[in-house]
Amino acid sequence: MAPFIPLKARIQLGLFSFLTSRAIGRDDTINRRLLSRFEPLVPADPKPKSGVCSADAIIDTSRDLFVRIFAPSDLSNEEKAEKLPLVVYFHGGGFAFASPHLVSYDDWCRRMCSGMHAVIVSVNYRRSPEHRCPAPYDDGVDTLRFLESGNLESVDILSGLNVDLGTCFLAGDTAGGNIVHHVARRWAASADIWEKVNIKGAISITPMFGGEERTDGDIQNENLPVLTMQRMDWYWKVILPEGADRNHEFAHPFGTTIKLEERFPPVLVVAAGYDILRDWQLKYYEWLNEMQHSVRLLKFPDSFHAFYLYTKCEEWKKLVEEMKTFIDEQKN
């Protein structure tokens, strides 16, 4: 049985697969110029749109590290006086593709912002193969340092809002879900030095983890028009440090010898039934559970990889509701 994938989503997925395949060279480089001709990018918009406004803030021009900030614009005076949680978001794309100004991620962040009444800070981290891991993890930590330094105070769209750095969450999907784990560990390892930024929880949406073995999820979902085993093998090839295999900690963080830091935050793991990464997502949850860490599993058994990017897939609404519930539980 195959999942229901709306026609528009099938077309978009097909175009993404076609364009990215053409952009990948025989030497595993990516023709970014070719992609830029077809990628639907949107600028930030400080004017309210569906109850949300946005603005970009530069962190480091030398590595094109910036964030797109989304803020709710339809709050009452009473709501404005309340503390708003801050969600630092890492987009998906296999570490190699996508960005905060890609139309699908701009739209997804707007929906999260509106549905969760939270400020979303979407990170434009460095991508592979030009920058292998741990570069994205470094960029994630530097984004937290940017927030710690009080740089949000100069962002006009946040004027009048009570943004609470002490109620900060990390969230991300696919590759971004992987980044969430590693950035959370780095924050937890040095938690005592952070005076303002306090990570209260981590939300890992269909996270991109892996290993050398082939799982049932790999085999059962190989022929879906979303993410193939061949593409996943390529991602790991250009993501991991030279010479590393898929059992490297960056891909496979749940080894028996790995110990989590004491301040590692509670985790919400989201898994999709029709996802080639499904079994690795479940292994991640099981590992956290076995370590007696605070973790919750949210399953979407009839959904496919990245379903939340498509508004015709109604389950995105449930996902946002559950994320809001998790944030409300952890911030109190």
Side-chain angles (χ1 to χ4, degrees), residues 16 19-20 32 34-42 96-99 101-103 127:
F16 174 81
L19 290 173
T20 54
R32 301 283 180 194
L34 173 64
L35 280 182
S36 67
R37 295 176 183 174
F38 301 98
E39 284 184 316
L41 306 180
V42 292
F97 302 107
S99 67
H101 45 22
L102 190 67
V103 65
R127 296 169 298 182

Side-chain angles (χ1 to χ4, degrees), residues 273-289:
Y274 291 96
D275 188 346
I276 201 169
L277 299 170
R278 178 196 65 204
D279 292 350
W280 295 112
Q281 296 155 8
L282 298 179
K283 285 176 185 288
Y284 180 57
Y285 163 76
E286 291 163 359
W287 173 69
L288 290 172
N289 203 37

Side-chain angles (χ1 to χ4, degrees), residues 120-134:
I120 310 293
V121 175
S122 182
V123 184
N124 190 62
Y125 56 84
R126 285 171 291 176
R127 296 169 298 182
S128 62
E130 296 92 338
H131 305 283
R132 293 173 177 262
C133 290

Side-chain angles (χ1 to χ4, degrees), residues 47-96:
K47 296 179 181 178
K49 177 183 176 183
S50 301
V52 175
C53 48
S54 61
D56 291 341
I58 297 171
I59 299 176
D60 184 352
T61 55
S62 70
R63 48 181 155 151
D64 197 25
L65 177 58
F66 70 86
V67 291
R68 176 158 293 182
I69 302 162
F70 300 84
S73 60
D74 58 354
L75 301 179
S76 66
N77 290 332
E78 197 172 283
E79 289 173 321
K80 287 181 180 180
E82 297 178 356
K83 291 183 177 180
L84 290 178
L86 179 71
V87 178
V88 179
Y89 195 83
F90 301 95
H91 64 80
F95 287 92

